[in-house]
Amino acid sequence: MKKTAVSLVLSSGGARGMAHIGVIEELERHNFEIKSISGCSMGALIGGVYAAGYLKEFKNWLDKLDKLDVFNLMDFTISSHGFIKGVKVFNEINQFIGNVLIEDLPIPFTAVATDVDNQKEVVFTKGKLRDAIRASVSIPSVLEPFDWNGVSLIDGGILNPIPIDRVQRTEGDILVAVDLNAIVNSPPQIAKQKKTAREQKKEQNSILKRIEFREKWEHFFPKDKLQKEKLGHLSLLDRSFDMMQNKISQHTIQKCRPEILVSISKTACSTFDFYRAGEMIELGKQTFNEALKKYDKEVIDYYKNS
């Protein structure tokens, strides 16, 4: 059976970006062939790892992370540019992408970042994949900007959170876009899979881990006991960034409507919930399949009325 060609657009959205993995897996299961990818922030990371051929290994690594693992990947720094250096987490990510060049990838790939000095979008279609990803994921005030030939680059979601206009189209393809910042109903509770022996062993030490995690977290982000109802630093950044990305994404989608639009609720998880990989991947699968049903119905109705 001939595969249907797809040009895939993966949006920014922090930890919700793990849903991109589920979407990609379902595209392949339904006999679609991804011919090109454009991505922003977490979309650039997942799309780049997939284009490099290491999505399965990357997924396995993500799926093993718990709260303390995520926290330990945060190398905090006292800086006016961001409170996480990003060296630890990118040392892990670089194991999957190494020094591969974008132009050598088997799938055309584009990542977008933002030149904060000159206030313009930067589009990566060549050069080191790891540099493009590192630049694209640099959330302002959280992750330190990426120094690219003397230019400070930050998260592409600032200007183009769902880069539909940057994907390289192929003849006869369909456009599939994943929006992680959609204002839709909150997703249903995803059923948790049965714990593996490794997970059960880790859970036996969960009390100590949680205490250690809480102590570390509160050291960097102490609570104001008199004003508990107020948003914390991370929550405020998270919500503000989500609102901005949602507005830009809505405009982009209206301007260039994809054949299949996978809309993930912005409330599915917060930007930093990377320990929820299993849930987000399953959510990506479920949401894609709902969008596919709608697309299939529209195609059938079109031919019926032609």
Side-chain angles (χ1 to χ4, degrees):
M1 181 185 296
K2 185 179 179 180
K3 293 186 177 183
T4 303
V6 163
S7 291
L8 181 62
V9 181
L10 304 176
S11 84
S12 57
R16 294 188 297 282
M18 295 181 291
H20 290 321
I21 298 174
V23 172
I24 290 171
E25 290 180 342
E26 288 302 287
L27 278 167
E28 293 185 331
R29 189 173 74 85
H30 285 283
N31 208 41
F32 291 96
E33 182 178 5
I34 300 171
K35 289 287 192 177
S36 62
I37 302 172
S38 70
C40 174
S41 196
M42 193 64 177
L45 172 56
I46 299 299
V49 171
Y50 173 75
Y54 292 101
L55 187 63
K56 182 178 179 181
E57 293 82 356
F58 186 66
K59 173 188 173 182
N60 291 337
W61 174 72
L62 276 176
D63 207 30
K64 293 175 183 177
L65 298 178
D66 61 18
K67 284 186 178 182
L68 187 59
D69 293 328
V70 173
F71 190 87
N72 286 334
L73 287 171
M74 296 182 183
D75 40 6
F76 293 100
T77 180
I78 300 174
S79 169
S80 59
H81 303 297
F83 58 79
I84 297 174
K85 289 186 288 186
V87 174
K88 283 185 178 181
V89 68
F90 269 89
N91 282 342
E92 295 289 336
I93 292 171
N94 287 340
Q95 294 182 41
F96 303 101
I97 55 179
N99 289 314
V100 65
L101 299 176
I102 295 174
E103 55 266 38
D104 292 337
L105 294 172
I107 301 173
F109 173 77
T110 304
V112 299
T114 302
D115 177 348
V116 68
D117 297 318
N118 298 298
Q119 301 180 34
K120 66 179 183 179
E121 185 179 354
V122 175
V123 181
F124 287 90
T125 57
K126 61 182 180 179
K128 289 184 179 180
L129 177 61
R130 66 182 186 186
D131 288 351
I133 292 172
R134 175 62 180 84
S136 189
V137 303
S138 302
I139 301 174
S141 299
V142 177
L143 194 62
E144 288 188 337
F146 179 67
D147 186 349
W148 183 62
N149 299 324
V151 177
S152 294
L153 300 183
I154 60 174
D155 199 304
I158 295 294
L159 295 177
N160 197 354
I162 184 164
I164 294 175
D165 59 335
R166 298 302 184 184
V167 71
Q168 299 179 42
R169 302 298 300 271
T170 57
E171 185 177 354
D173 69 357
I174 65 171
L175 181 63
V176 177
V178 186
D179 177 15
L180 302 176
N181 303 293
I183 300 178
V184 295
N185 292 333
S186 297
Q189 184 68 32
I190 303 297
K192 294 185 178 180
Q193 298 178 347
K194 186 177 179 180
K195 290 182 174 63
T196 64
R198 179 183 181 278
E199 290 170 334
Q200 290 175 352
K201 185 176 180 180
K202 288 181 76 174
E203 192 171 23
Q204 292 174 1
N205 299 318
S206 63
I207 296 177
L208 291 176
K209 284 194 170 190
R210 288 170 187 168
I211 291 173
E212 184 180 355
F213 174 81
R214 186 171 63 248
E215 288 176 346
K216 285 186 176 182
W217 189 265
E218 292 180 355
H219 172 72
F220 287 99
F221 307 107
K223 292 182 178 180
D224 185 342
K225 295 181 179 179
L226 297 177
Q227 296 179 318
K228 289 184 179 180
E229 72 280 0
K230 288 192 174 182
L231 290 175
H233 179 66
L234 280 180
S235 296
L236 184 58
L237 280 172
D238 190 11
R239 293 193 189 185
S240 300
F241 201 48
D242 281 351
M243 285 189 292
M244 179 195 68
Q245 291 182 107
N246 173 258
K247 288 295 183 183
I248 300 174
S249 297
Q250 283 182 7
H251 176 74
T252 302
I253 291 167
Q254 289 171 3
K255 185 178 179 182
C256 185
R257 190 79 184 175
E259 278 83 5
I260 299 178
L261 176 63
V262 183
S263 298
I264 304 291
S265 172
K266 68 177 185 176
T267 64
C269 78
S270 75
T271 300
F272 308 99
D273 287 351
F274 289 99
Y275 59 91
R276 296 174 61 185
E279 292 176 62
M280 291 301 103
I281 292 169
E282 184 60 30
L283 177 61
K285 291 181 178 183
Q286 291 183 12
T287 311
F288 170 79
N289 284 317
E290 289 300 316
L292 181 60
K293 288 177 185 177
K294 182 178 179 182
Y295 169 72
D296 287 341
K297 183 179 183 303
E298 289 174 349
V299 171
I300 292 170
D301 290 344
Y302 172 80
Y303 282 108
K304 279 183 178 180
N305 297 323
S306 295

